[in-house]
Amino acid sequence: MKKIAVLTSGGDAPGMNAAIRAVVRHGIYNGLEVYGVRHGYTGLMDGDIYQMELGSVGDIIHRGGTILRSARSETFKTIEGQKKAIEVLQAVGIEGLVVIGGDGSFQGASKLTNLGFPTIGIPGTIDNDISGTDYSIGFDTAINTVMESIDKIRDTAYSHERICIIEVMGRHAGEIALWTGLSSGAESIIIPEVSYKIEDVLTRIKRGQERGKMHSIIVLAEGVCSGEELQKSLNEELQLESRVVVLGLLQRGGSPTAYDRMMASRMGAKAVDLLIDGKKGVMVGWKNCQLTYTSFEKAAEEKHSVSMSDYNLARSLSI
Ligand code: ADP
Ligand code: F6P
């Protein structure tokens, strides 16, 4: 293994730059040439590749986003697109590819491996919904961004005695909603993994009112419904004023926390070691506080689930 490449794909996440930095620095430290692919799989098919040096990744560990840019590509979902990508990599003499992204990006990486090209995945998505790992780069930064936002919203909800519905990202998963709801003391947390009844939300609001708490925070995962839809259901039953806040892309930005920088650095170096050791078609993971690796196929078979003990804890603490 003399030449490897790295790309970022799918939704960007704080810490991706720290991972890119680790791949480049650890790769060069081990005598490899490291190439960067811009714009994810789109750039890969277009041959948007350049050799990276130690200085290419200087002063980026603290920056959110990805210096390699990211993209989503329907063309890459075709066999023609995947074959084109391999042709481009082989034309430059690249022998292994590190893909930093979410489960969608890993499906693409798996297709390249099945076509004979070695790929290694690094879990990078704020959703933290990837099976095969307990942690995905960007999650800690995102939940701190959301928690700080909820704390601010609670101030005005208290002042105006309002119900505030905060819609958070996570695609089809409720990890962001659960962690931020529990850590901000939200009165209700609504996630795709657990069916909810509007009556339960109303009961919790009314129980709070009976003890003089006239405001309420509801954290809603986007995979359940929109904040407006939930607000409509509540308005049909309740006369209290309510507001909806959609945090949106705020959750994807910001300087990565120390934890994200640490995890990204560990996983980036691990991905290089795995390529050097001849591994392919596997994703780096964090399990039981240890770095591990799991085949894309095995990871795809597992269904990601949230911690029901945390969900129940959140319900009991916000009674
Ligand atoms: P994430 O990696 O954050 O889950 P996406 O689901 O959007 O983001 O996937 C990112 C990109 O990965 C897609 O735009 C596409 O190019 C590629 N991809 C996703 N699913 C597949 C698939 N089944 N086969 C090939 N490529 C895929
Ligand atoms: O996968 C990360 C994520 O932020 C999801 O939580 C969200 O649903 C999606 O990306 C938004 O994608 P886009 O930035 O392309 O609108």
Side-chain angles (χ1 to χ4, degrees):
M1 187 68 68
K2 283 286 170 233
K3 289 186 179 182
I4 65 171
V6 57
L7 65 80
T8 48
S9 172
D12 66 319
M16 281 188 166
N17 281 327
I20 294 165
R21 173 178 177 273
V23 170
V24 173
R25 292 277 172 90
H26 195 64
I28 292 172
Y29 179 83
N30 282 278
L32 304 181
E33 287 180 17
V34 186
Y35 291 75
V37 180
R38 297 186 184 92
H39 300 110
Y41 291 126
T42 302
L44 179 56
M45 292 181 290
D46 294 346
D48 193 351
I49 299 179
Y50 69 107
Q51 185 167 359
M52 299 181 85
E53 305 299 341
L54 295 175
S56 309
V57 290
D59 202 25
I60 68 167
I61 194 168
H62 64 291
R63 288 177 53 193
T66 161
I67 61 167
L68 290 177
R69 307 318 193 270
S70 186
R72 302 185 199 275
S73 163
E74 288 306 307
T75 307
F76 189 73
K77 294 183 179 178
T78 67
I79 183 82
E80 295 76 15
Q82 293 147 25
K83 285 182 174 176
K84 171 69 177 159
I86 292 175
E87 280 167 25
V88 167
L89 289 163
Q90 290 174 340
V92 185
I94 290 166
E95 304 152 274
L97 175 67
V98 176
V99 173
I100 305 169
D103 52 8
S105 301
F106 288 178
Q107 287 181 47
S110 181
K111 298 280 174 64
L112 294 181
T113 297
N114 295 342
L115 289 169
F117 195 89
T119 58
I120 303 287
I122 294 176
T125 171
I126 66 166
D127 302 344
N128 199 34
D129 61 348
I130 303 176
S131 302
T133 184
D134 293 339
Y135 190 79
S136 297
I137 296 165
F139 180 64
D140 186 55
T141 306
I143 59 174
N144 278 286
T145 298
V146 172
M147 183 191 71
E148 287 156 14
S149 303
I150 294 172
D151 288 350
K152 291 180 171 66
I153 294 163
R154 183 181 285 278
D155 290 342
T156 180
Y158 170 85
S159 305
H160 289 269
E161 300 186 336
R162 282 171 173 160
I163 312 294
C164 281
I165 297 166
I166 295 132
E167 181 189 316
V168 299
M169 284 184 160
R171 205 175 298 194
H172 311 304
E175 292 281 2
I176 294 175
L178 177 54
W179 278 67
T180 58
L182 198 160
S183 56
S184 61
E187 281 67 31
S188 287
I189 302 170
I190 302 174
I191 58 176
E193 294 87 348
V194 181
S195 59
Y196 83 99
K197 290 185 176 56
I198 198 72
E199 295 73 24
D200 177 64
V201 177
L202 293 165
T203 301
R204 299 172 79 81
I205 291 172
K206 288 172 184 161
R207 190 187 297 141
Q209 289 171 339
E210 284 157 12
R211 62 172 194 265
K213 185 171 73 170
M214 304 310 286
H215 70 284
S216 190
I217 297 289
I218 301 171
V219 179
L220 170 68
E222 65 177 349
V224 176
C225 66
S226 71
E228 284 74 20
E229 287 169 303
L230 178 62
Q231 182 184 41
K232 188 168 176 295
S233 310
L234 279 177
N235 285 347
E236 285 160 12
E237 309 284 337
L238 208 61
Q239 281 59 48
L240 269 183
E241 263 195 287
S242 65
R243 291 292 189 275
V244 175
V245 179
V246 180
L247 293 179
L249 290 173
L250 258 183
Q251 301 160 88
R252 288 253 288 274
S255 178
T257 59
Y259 190 76
D260 268 326
R261 299 182 198 189
M262 194 71 179
M263 292 305 287
S265 300
R266 287 168 172 163
M267 290 184 166
K270 180 70 176 177
V272 172
D273 290 342
L274 289 170
L275 278 176
I276 292 170
D277 293 349
K279 299 290 187 295
K280 57 188 173 185
V282 299
M283 59 167 282
V284 176
W286 184 250
K287 288 262 188 188
N288 307 316
C289 299
Q290 294 287 328
L291 278 175
T292 65
Y293 62 91
T294 309
S295 72
F296 290 129
E297 280 73 21
K298 186 168 184 305
E301 284 161 12
E302 295 168 21
K303 183 168 174 8
H304 178 82
S305 57
V306 295
S307 160
M308 287 311 294
S309 58
D310 285 342
Y311 179 80
N312 293 324
L313 173 64
R315 282 183 61 81
S316 68
L317 297 182
S318 60
I319 190 162

